[in-house]
């Protein structure tokens, strides 16, 4: 698996029209974009942050200036057994148990002066619910972000180089909601499963939503498809891994040239499912953007309340604070992102 | 344990001088403050937030206006096996394991087109590292926040009423650092273990630090003792449960009348340890403020970098975003609080 | 819930004909059997073992004497994510993860002289797969085995009185397979879901199988329905909690008078599902036999290979070793029971 | 790490005198024994059991014939937070939590007809307490049992070839206690930490104990040092990884030629600690016997009661049933071994 990564230069940038993809050659379509948009070395040999480097302090000052009403919206789903996980790749829903309870406290727990207490414990995959994918989450032909060998980065001890803890103080910036669900399907507000969001879709959505949704350097883009709301309404079904609307592989160039810091969707897997190939393929856009662009990706974000709020106000940008838990060596983190409007 | 809670009214408010405490009667000293400062019913019978209700949207707009430089500081310690837990009450350090690794990916994981991936899992007590204590964490004579019976609130299924998920979109406000370590011990910046911080200490610290550290309604107060830095430098020792500087039981009235939304310290247990009694006692201030005031408490916050930054700038307030993970029914949550200066 | 348990004496023993059950009054049908067959106090006030007391050393000597061929059969299902759990009551399948791997070892783990190592971790409900139910697993109107109050026995700290660790050196005895699947359905060897095994069924099966299947004091009875094999062949479906063949509530008297030490089935829940009532009911036989008889119950035992072996040899008894893991305070234990033929 | 394993033949077998070891060359001392005693291919290319193949059905019949009194002794320590683990290599003590309790049941859990229930969960390293080390637990220069490459055997998915589940129906045989503690230190019954048990020690112990302790093909040998009892009496201290009595590296040949099926000790790590070298070394005997001999090793077995019983009776062999939990792909298993005397 650790042959050299493709490096040949290309004269022409890969197409941004989903229809141009060669649906029988994922390897080539992925490689073309990996090579064209690779950021390796852009922030030095020791970089641990990738495109999160696009956020600077000035960006955060500007983001704080977006706060008008102070209304704060959590973009997290519930962390509990009602989640969508069914065991694929040992991913379960979070199991939360109590070490002490109020029922115990009523009967006495051995503390003095009438004190009682309750403690708790959780066991969960870091990818089970609303999350950030760290830079060590995906590899391309055995290579990780910045051109490192996958096995030098992530062992059983965790991500020794680009663990999510390095982003602990970074992910506060301007957030921009691109409500593709409402834009493309005004009647329902929800994209159908299998819909591949193209660059043209993204750009038209920005234009339609107006100036507050311009996307640029250091922004964190939130793409609402509406699938999360549908799943919550109709049952998770195959939400975790099944058909879903999502970004087309052909958006890789847009994700690169806009210089966004991070992106999140309200779906399980960020990109369109099934993937855009007629031969076996799995999450090709992940393979391009995580190890090659160094892009941090959020998944299973609950954008329902935010979508409604932005639609009502006509403003689509806000202060976004979404710091991951600094779990040493983690390739992802559960997160409760908050948008402050 | 579920005798009626003390309710008798008092003519005189409890003393705010630690020396006045009857060190042989924790029961009475606790009850006096519980009764005097109880907020039950203040926000209605159905309240789930307690003093977090002091934060409103206008407060958050003002807090966002505090952002000057954009510098962002994480206030979380590392979540890993290097933490301070030794097993007391089944509290372990976080155990993080991998479901897939880069070493596996190099050898091939069965994915198509050169894709490789790494996933991970965590098992941890919610009280193991930087955290919020939820309102269901502590009981007073079998009663929980707002006068509910403990056993009606927290069962083995978790906190059915005041679970931390209810605070998911709430905890963004103005943060104020009170650096008692630097104020009281300018030479070392660290309070000695067993030092009980009094109301007088708090007020003099505010006065000394200047206008930016005024404390009022809706603020989140961060009390730096310096113990965290000492523990990191010298080893955890008995950090988890042993001697520590912290708030005196006599600060309960100040915590009430300032109408702060929440408070956090850089110590394991918020209040001074050993507790201020010569007979068996355990966390009496918790017993007053969590179930009676409805105060949300943060513990094991890393205030070292923030302390230095505030000392250098002379400004002690900032935007604080510290949303808990919405773990359904949790009596606490790990958190990565960020201060945006 | 902790009203006094029913204690009135009865003149007539409850019927052993399933058709005689009043399908609208589970409360009364349960109470009749609880009272009639209650073993409270039989082995003293401090007893922690219930019917396991029926096993004595002489019984084990005799059991060892049953070993003829030495063939040993594991009666455990696999402990992994392929199991039947779907999250009901937070029961997941076992999650097994690695702390170190061979892929890591090949790349070097920092050990000297070419040593490499692999370690692992498991997180699992104790009731997730092949298991023993301990005496603290089920309560009757707030009472546990031997008449203790449920809350005095099992708190969040576990079963403080009858934890499974007390049986650590006990569960080795004569095992007897009653292959109801083969006996009642010779053509398929499998009972249909919903079939309630009666006392008459048990007795006729014993008669048909011959002398080696006589059941008496201290025996561990294994009831094969064939459902496990069907589930493995056709998919778990609703194996965990759904329809299943199993013992009728009316077998409580037989379970008592035979003086067996323990019983196990190849189904999720030991007794017939749906339960034998037309009004809401849940596991009524558990309610009779665990807290009242003090009977230890095994569930999800894989009796397929044993069934075939016994059918071929015409011998149905063997040495059975099924010691639980001594998990302090556990109300159950995963177990790998072995039959030595 | 995956250079070819040493294969050169030797004319002279390695010394069995601990004093002959070159304490500056663990690499060579290990290799000499690995080559001399390697069992690769002995049971075919597909073998998953190693020396457990020495147990056959006739052996088990004979073992059952050893049962005289029926007294059964559990050889397991308690599985709880009181264990010896302190976090090294993320090894914690078992964390056992409740999903439901009796305190809850007393207050009502929503079940019909007065039913109440308690369930529980465990999270634990498989190496945390009384255990079997599986064949995938240790590698020699990147090679696993039977000459397989370590990375082909144990990935993050577990041991894909020699997982402990393959031994589920195997580990029932004749057990023999060699009580080195009593034999070498009759006054205390306990070997001092750092004592390296030699072949001469083993042989003299057998001779002294008499005919019932003869060791041969298919036996499971239990070596009591007394350290477990000392640790339980004086506190664990550095039991997990620190100084301990144990087998010398020079016993590898005896472990091979006796054709024992498995061996277990009452210590954390089977072999003497510190290891017998003056340069960095770690568990060299493991490196010889697990991947090269294919020997299954038990650790942290509680041999105290058994030691007393055997000393009293003068008989040192018994029926031993120690089936591992069939955790798919596990490189070890918690176990409650039982000796039936």
């Amino acid at each position: 698996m650790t042959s050299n990564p493709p490096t040949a230069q290309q004269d022409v940038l890969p197409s941004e029209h989903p229809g141009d993809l060669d649906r029988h050659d994922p390897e080539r379509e992925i490689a073309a974009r990996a090579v064209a948009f690779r950021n390796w070395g852009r922030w030095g040999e020791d970089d641990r942050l990738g495109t999160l480097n696009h956020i600077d302090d000035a960006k955060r000052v500007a983001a704080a200036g977006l706060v008008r009403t102070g209304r704060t919206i959590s973009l997290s789903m519930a962390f509990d057994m009602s989640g969508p996980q069914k065991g694929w790749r040992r991913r379960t829903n979070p199991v939360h148990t109590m070490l002490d309870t109020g029922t115990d406290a009523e009967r006495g727990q051995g503390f003095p002066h009438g004190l009682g207490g309750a403690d708790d414990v959780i066991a969960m995959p870091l990818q089970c619910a609303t999350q950030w994918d760290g830079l060590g989450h995906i590899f391309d032909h055995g290579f990780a972000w910045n051109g490192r060998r996958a096995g030098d980065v992530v062992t059983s001890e965790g991500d020794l180089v680009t663990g999510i803890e390095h982003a602990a103080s970074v992910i506060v910036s301007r957030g921009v909601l691109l409500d593709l669900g409402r834009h493309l399907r005004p009647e329902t507000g929800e994209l159908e499963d299998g819909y591949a969001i193209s660059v043209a879709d993204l750009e038209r959505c920005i234009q339609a939503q107006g100036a507050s949704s311009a996307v640029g350097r250091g922004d964190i883009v939130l793409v609402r498809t509406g699938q999360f709301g549908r799943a919550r309404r109709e049952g998770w079904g195959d939400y975790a891994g099944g058909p879903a609307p999502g970004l087309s592989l052909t958006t890789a160039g847009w994700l690169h040239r806009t210089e966004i810091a991070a992106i999140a969707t309200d779906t399980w897997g960020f990109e369109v499912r099934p993937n855009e190939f007629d031969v076996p393929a799995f999450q090709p856009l992940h393979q391009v953007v995580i190890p090659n662009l160094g892009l941090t990706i959020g998944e299973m974000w609950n954008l329902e309340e935010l979508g409604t709020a932005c639609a009502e106000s006509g403003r689509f940008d806000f202060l976004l604070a979404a710091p991951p838990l600094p779990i040493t060596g983690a390739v992802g983190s559960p997160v409760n992102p908050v948008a402050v409007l």
Side-chain angles (χ1 to χ4, degrees), chain A:
Chain A
M1 292 292 287
T2 52
S3 53
N4 288 334
T7 56
Q9 289 303 317
Q10 296 175 296
D11 294 336
V12 188
L13 285 178
S15 168
E16 297 193 345
H17 299 286
D20 292 343
L21 287 171
D22 180 346
R23 297 180 65 92
H24 291 83
D25 197 351
E27 187 97 28
R28 197 173 63 82
E29 294 288 0
I30 292 167
R33 288 163 179 85
V35 172
F37 308 124
R38 188 171 282 155
N39 282 324
W40 294 359
R42 182 170 178 172
W43 296 283
E45 288 307 298
D46 295 334
D47 183 63
R48 302 166 187 269
L49 293 175
T51 58
L52 291 176
N53 284 294
H54 286 310
I55 307 175
D56 59 21
D57 284 353
K59 183 79 191 178
R60 291 196 194 95
V61 174
L66 296 172
V67 174
R68 307 276 169 87
T69 66
R71 177 177 174 187
T72 299
I73 298 174
S74 164
L75 309 181
S76 177
M77 58 185 292
F79 280 72
D80 60 31
M81 290 298 288
S82 72
Q85 305 298 339
K86 296 180 176 175
W88 181 77
R89 294 186 79 71
R90 286 173 284 169
R91 287 186 185 168
T92 64
N93 289 316
V95 178
H96 171 235
T97 57
M98 302 305 295
L99 292 167
D100 309 275
T101 65
T103 47
D104 288 349
E106 288 187 353
R107 283 181 138 267
Q109 296 169 306
F111 292 116
H113 50 70
L115 180 79
D119 265 30
D120 37 14
V121 168
I122 201 161
M124 63 176 165
L126 299 181
Q127 288 75 28
C128 67
T130 305
Q131 88 199 69
W132 282 120
D133 281 347
L135 297 184
H137 180 51
I138 297 290
F139 313 108
D140 182 8
H141 289 84
F143 285 84
W145 163 240
N146 227 23
R148 301 176 181 106
R149 288 192 61 194
D152 289 339
V153 176
V154 185
T155 73
S156 297
E157 309 240 351
D159 184 331
L160 310 174
V161 181
T162 47
I164 202 84
E165 72 273 19
H166 297 290
S169 64
V170 177
I171 312 182
V172 175
S173 189
R174 175 177 177 257
V176 183
L177 178 71
L178 301 187
D179 194 339
L180 273 296
R182 278 187 173 76
H183 169 66
L184 288 170
R185 301 289 180 269
E187 62 290 355
T188 63
E190 295 173 8
L191 295 182
E192 59 275 17
D193 292 340
Y195 185 90
I197 298 167
S198 67
V199 172
D201 290 334
L202 293 166
E203 292 183 341
R204 283 183 204 127
C205 177
I206 292 169
Q207 196 167 21
Q209 289 186 174
S212 71
S213 52
V215 169
R217 185 164 186 275
D219 287 334
I220 299 172
V221 173
L222 311 184
V223 174
R224 183 186 170 278
T225 69
Q227 194 209 18
F228 184 89
R230 182 165 66 241
R232 234 174 21 173
R233 192 176 65 239
E234 300 180 359
W236 291 113
D238 291 324
Y239 179 80
L247 269 69
S248 167
L249 174 59
T250 58
T251 61
W254 185 88
L255 295 170
H256 180 256
R257 71 173 174 269
T258 49
E259 300 192 320
I260 61 173
I263 188 167
T265 67
D266 61 349
T267 63
W268 169 81
F270 168 59
E271 52 189 297
V272 63
R273 300 272 303 158
N275 302 121
E276 299 160 288
F277 294 95
D278 297 329
V279 294
F282 189 71
Q283 302 297 72
L285 186 55
H286 276 69
Q287 188 174 339
V288 173
V289 300
I290 294 182
N292 289 290
L293 272 71
L295 185 65
T296 292
I297 294 175
E299 290 166 337
M300 294 188 257
W301 290 35
N302 175 359
L303 303 176
E304 292 306 284
E305 183 180 351
L306 181 65
T308 302
C310 290
E312 289 172 359
S313 70
R315 289 187 57 242
F316 291 84
D317 59 350
F318 37 82
L319 174 65
L320 180 72
L325 283 185
I327 302 165
T328 306
V331 298
S333 175
V335 64
N336 175 11
V338 288
V340 190
L341 277 57

